[in-house]
Amino acid sequence: YKAVVAASKAAKSAAGDHAGVIAALRAATTVPLAVAERAREVEQIAARLAPMTNPNMASDLTVSRALARAALEGALANVEINLRSLEDPAFVAEVRAQVAALTS
């Protein structure tokens, strides 16, 4: 976020040079996308552990899966907000395809 704000301020003083803003928005999109990917992995690992875990620990796996889903949803919300500001159709389409794979 700070990088996007800084790049926006720099673009205002650089007579509309938005290259830095675009780069910052891309980074602000790819970082939470990576978080979403890791969160999905954690959720899948917890699901695979269920059959081999002591039944007394089932609630721990339930919590881990719920937290992973919350992290996934929060990260994807950040991705979506940043995509709305990007005017690069190819990049947006690529990211949306990755989001679709994570949510299917």
Side-chain angles (χ1 to χ4, degrees):
Y1 176 78
K2 287 181 183 181
V4 173
V5 171
S8 295
K9 287 180 182 178
K12 288 179 185 176
S13 65
D17 180 15
H18 292 350
V21 175
I22 293 167
L25 280 168
R26 281 175 168 245
T29 302
T30 57
V31 169
L33 182 60
V35 169
E37 290 167 347
R38 298 300 83 75
R40 181 73 169 143
E41 288 175 21
V42 169
E43 183 181 16
Q44 291 170 339
I45 290 167
R48 286 194 307 267
L49 288 173
M52 63 184 91
T53 299
N54 180 322
N56 295 326
M57 295 178 62
S59 62
D60 295 328
L61 287 177
T62 299
V63 171
S64 69
R65 291 181 73 188
L67 291 172
R69 279 193 303 274
L72 174 68
E73 289 179 26
L76 292 179
N78 283 328
V79 168
E80 181 58 37
I81 286 170
N82 291 321
L83 286 179
R84 292 177 191 166
S85 299
L86 283 164
E87 296 177 3
D88 180 347
F91 179 78
V92 171
E94 177 185 331
V95 171
R96 288 202 190 283
Q98 291 173 314
V99 168
L102 288 170
T103 57
S104 62

